[in-house]
Amino acid sequence: MAACPQLTAQPMDMCAAEATTSLLQVEENFSACLARMDALIFKPLLQSEPSDQKGKENFKLFLLLNDQFQALWNLTEENYRIVKQKCSTSESFCIQDIYIVWKGDLFLSLYIQYFVTFANYVVVHGFEHATKSKSEAWKHHKTVLKQFLTDFTTETSMSLALYTVLHKPVRDHVEQYILLLNKLNEVLQEGSEKDIVTSAVKEYVKLKSFISQVLDEACFTKTLWKSLGYKFTDMLCVPERRLLEDSKNLPISASTNRSDRILLFDDVLVLIQGNSFQSFDLKLVWVDETCREKSAPGPYGLRIITPEETFVLSAKDPQMKAVWQWKLNQAIRQALNGKRDFPLWGKTGEGTEPSSCRFFTYVFRLESKFKNASYEGEWHWGKPHGKGTLKWRDGRNHVGDFKEGLEHGFGICLVPRRSEDRYDCYKCHWYEGKMRGYGICEYGNDMVYKGYFKDDVRQGFGILENFSAEHPFKYTGQWENDKKNGYGVWEDKDRGERYIGTWLDDHRHGQGIVVTQSGVCYQRTFHADKMVGSGILLLEDDSVYEGNFTQDLTFVGKGKLSFANGFILEGTFTNKSGQGLQTQGILNTSNEQLDERITKAQLGLKEFPVEKRWKGIYDQFLEFIHSGCKEEMEESFTGFHIQTSKELRKSQEYLFCQRGTEDVSWKTEDILEELVQHHELGSLQSYLEKALKSSLHPLGKLLKALTIAFQATYSGIGANRHLLTMAQEEVKYYAKKIWEFYQGLLHLALEQKGQLPAKCVDGEVSDQKAYSVVLPLILPCFYPELFMLYMLYHEREDDLYCQGIVDLSLFPDIKLLEFLDVQKHLWPLKDLTLTTNQRRSLIKDKCFLSATECLQKLITTVDPREKLLILQKTYEEIESTVSRVVEKDYKLPMDDLLPLLMYVVSRAKIQHLGAEIHLIRDLMDPTNQGGLYDFLLTALESCYEHIQRMRLHQRENCHVTRTS
């Protein structure tokens, strides 16, 4: 009963006062009746506890009934005192003085609790057991009992007498409340107080109906337990359980003759056949009225769905089917609510169907993949569906998403290792009961796998790393059927080696490159982890060996050894124990120096075509696009990123992103919507820059994956000059693939909006877009490793250049200008500010200062576009300075530009200028070729080479002088 609103106490008329006086008399009589019941019934029965097990159980129920009785008695006494006190004063009566109205919720609650407990005692034959054990004592109380019951006779059994005495006075008292409140309601005028009393009357009428239904259900259930054998009663009889329907009373049968009798209780559905039975918890029972199975005995069937079994209940006519369907649904709904309706059967809750989605715990019993597992979580039509947890007795457990009875979506699975007290932890995506898509497995042996799965095995791109101290390693590459297959990179941290090449069934197989920590690099053919055939071995001193060699890099058999000084030894090599390396062949000393094509040989270009490297990464993103970029599939394809289900995702070591808060939310529908809005070049570049920097956008996650693969290959041990072209090819190809995926997303977005996508552009135009738009945006991710390779590749030239710069730095400005053959009328002598006792000929680093400072900015950016802009700005600064000197606009011809640019280069002192020049040349926008930028880069390259030649010429002169 809803709480009454706070009203201002208003006096009621004399009729209301009479109703209150009547209530006083009723409460006084009822209180006296309860006192007699306590003295004559409760106290005698509570004097001694039975010794038999059944008697003890019933005695506990009677104790509970006594507690409810005492609470009811106390409330009656309190109400009596309040009414009596009010009647004894001359104050006016108001609605707050009617306690059964103002505190109606409390009254209703205590009466409900009393009759529910009373009914529990009835169901287990409590009164029969009590009177049987106390029959002699109770014979002396028959006279007193007659005072309570007008229909009581000496022939009435003691159990029935006791049953009647303990409920009839209380039930009659509720009737008196209803009569009193109806009288009060008649005399009240229309208004809020009358509404409150009217509402109270309705609630007490419901209570009257509830009491009647509770007692009827208890007697119905009690009769059932009498009719069933002890075997069923001992297992099924629970004090709180009520029989709602019996197929003997309302005929219905189960499919395939699986039961003789069907019992519907308020918590379980029971099918009895012979001496056995099956019970189904109503919280996990679904009723499907659409059943039309031919195997059903009758045409009016109800399909009953439970977690492990489905069967049909068939009625003979539609009326019986409708009654069973209604009772089943009402019982299921009330079981799910955790409480019965008030009243039990009436308009309350009528017509509402139980929810098909539920949350419950169940232990699977029948043979299946979940046998003996306990599932706690969400259900839908008899199957785990939604969030849930599976636990097996052997320690396995799975927490995550389920769909139609199978693991589907993200989940975490723990699998104990038999031999040790550790677990394998799978944080992965499942598809129809099997691991599929991106996941992380933290094995109990200190290994971690981050990558893709299919049908419960590692499949596609993935990283396996062993963190144990015994044999640490890391594999980054392709997997097939749970084994390393295809292109991959293996780093053995103990040996200080990195293998880059192809694999077959967990073995190095096919072409492979091995790079060592000492700088040695070789390319060989492998078969089941063993080297076969001849190969090429590039040593750290620039010597090159072509032929056969062992695992420890010992030359064996026929081969050719080319030394850095140009000598070539060709013959047969042997390595006998204790005798060292021996050879029998020809030594050619005619060459002065080895060809750079040998000393700087680039490996892996033919053996590992760039389009076949990291195919596993591209395939996942392509599949995501082909699937229509479904939101629920994004994590499975492109890695973890969504911040939901934090309790399931404890690990922060995700492959494609670093988690963190971002200002921009990248939902799939938002991504596709925004893509269509960015066609202009400036807008497109801004959008792509934002997307590629995001750890949530698919393009940003693709870039992250490629960055990890690139670093696994070329960072650390992999920083070897013989891999430069491989790395440069990869970066360009990354730009091309990212542009392709952008085009794929755009195409899908336009299709979903009903717009016709633009016609496909040819490959050349697409590549141009990739290099001009995407490459500058992604280059910062790969620049540290890539530039290191350029530095190593041009290390000798840069060393020679740096020595030349040191030599040139010794010259004062005027001497240097003169040495470089800069025309005197172009010298900016006015910039040579003199100090005391200083001669002009000794001043350094003052001429063309603005151009020098501008060129020094070349190393502050990684973008080839920006580097070219800096070069252009340097040219403009030189030209501006010259124009100022000659006092007119002056366009520098090539003959004047080169000496001046060489001066600026010598003063800028940029380290690794050769690496910078070649990186710009290799990665600049192809549209710049043949233009101003190309011209300026060529001029800078000429300066670089000229400074090298100057130093080389000086070194040769020194050598000649020493010889003479």
Side-chain angles (χ1 to χ4, degrees), residues 339-473:
K339 61 179 182 179
R340 302 293 300 277
D341 286 344
F342 180 76
L344 296 179
W345 305 101
K347 292 184 178 180
T348 305
E350 195 168 338
T352 58
E353 298 292 328
S355 172
S356 60
C357 299
R358 305 171 190 176
F359 187 95
F360 202 67
T361 301
Y362 179 80
V363 178
F364 289 90
R365 299 171 290 103
L366 302 182
E367 196 65 44
S368 70
K369 66 180 293 186
F370 294 159
K371 185 179 181 180
N372 297 327
S374 168
Y375 174 78
E376 179 184 9
E378 297 171 338
W379 297 78
H380 184 258
W381 284 105
K383 295 180 179 180
H385 191 93
K387 303 291 183 185
T389 301
L390 270 172
K391 293 183 179 180
W392 283 266
R393 295 175 184 174
D394 61 3
R396 285 179 297 153
N397 68 69
H398 179 100
V399 182
D401 298 324
F402 292 80
K403 183 178 180 182
E404 296 182 0
L406 295 172
E407 304 96 324
H408 193 93
F410 180 78
I412 294 180
C413 183
L414 288 178
V415 181
R417 300 176 74 89
R418 294 180 181 178
S419 58
E420 30 187 331
D421 188 21
R422 292 188 174 191
Y423 288 82
D424 292 342
C425 177
Y426 295 88
K427 303 172 185 178
C428 187
H429 285 268
W430 268 256
Y431 182 83
E432 295 182 354
K434 294 183 178 181
M435 285 188 290
R436 179 173 173 181
Y438 179 74
I440 297 174
C441 179
E442 297 167 345
Y443 300 100
N445 57 0
D446 295 326
M447 286 198 287
V448 176
Y449 173 79
K450 306 176 196 176
Y452 292 96
F453 291 84
K454 186 177 182 181
D455 294 337
D456 286 338
V457 297
R458 293 170 291 197
Q459 183 88 8
F461 175 76
I463 299 171
L464 178 67
E465 190 164 4
N466 185 8
F467 293 94
S468 68
E470 293 182 4
H471 185 56
F473 66 81

Side-chain angles (χ1 to χ4, degrees), residues 620-629 740-742 744-745 748:
Q620 293 296 332
F621 284 82
L622 191 62
E623 190 176 351
F624 174 59
I625 293 174
H626 288 167
S627 72
C629 296
E740 284 181 15
F741 287 124
Y742 159 73
L745 289 171
L748 179 65

